[in-house]
Amino acid sequence: MRLLTFPQPHQTGLRQPRVLVGQLANEVIRSGTEFDGTDRSPMRIAEARVTLGVVAAREGDLDTALAYGERAVAGERKSLPSLAMVSSGLGRALQTNCKNSSAAQEFVAHLRELRGGQ
């Protein structure tokens, strides 16, 4: 799954794209999860969680953004470089919308470590 980009609400006056992106990400998580809660598609689910983190960060919900981000990078995955690349969008959203939060800055630093310091 590729992260979808969408305009900031102050650019369009609309919140609709975020709602759609959130719904699509939740559907990816739902369809990639077994009935017993096991992740059938861990990378897709991790990327969907990153997407939900971006949505939350852009809405100013730091706690939710960090929870999705932490869960995404902590999960079982086969391609850490791919996840690190995708999570850069979450890092940008946190820096833009939550730049005064030390928790956000710590998480952004952790994302940089995952990308090898970049």
Side-chain angles (χ1 to χ4, degrees), residues 19-99:
V19 172
L20 180 59
V21 169
Q23 289 172 342
L24 292 172
N26 280 317
E27 179 59 23
V28 168
I29 293 170
R30 188 199 64 73
S31 65
T33 304
E34 298 286 353
F35 291 109
D36 65 358
T38 305
D39 290 347
R40 183 178 19 195
S41 306
M43 276 304 299
R44 286 188 185 136
I45 290 172
E47 291 176 4
R49 288 183 178 130
V50 168
T51 300
L52 290 170
V54 170
V55 170
R58 289 184 176 175
E59 290 179 347
D61 186 350
L62 175 62
D63 292 335
T64 301
L66 292 176
Y68 278 122
E70 289 168 0
R71 191 154 180 214
V73 299
E76 178 186 330
R77 59 198 168 273
K78 302 204 186 281
S79 178
L80 184 59
S82 173
L83 182 60
M85 181 185 69
V86 170
S87 65
S88 66
L90 177 55
R92 282 190 304 276
L94 288 169
Q95 288 178 317
T96 300
N97 298 292
C98 308
K99 58 185 162 214

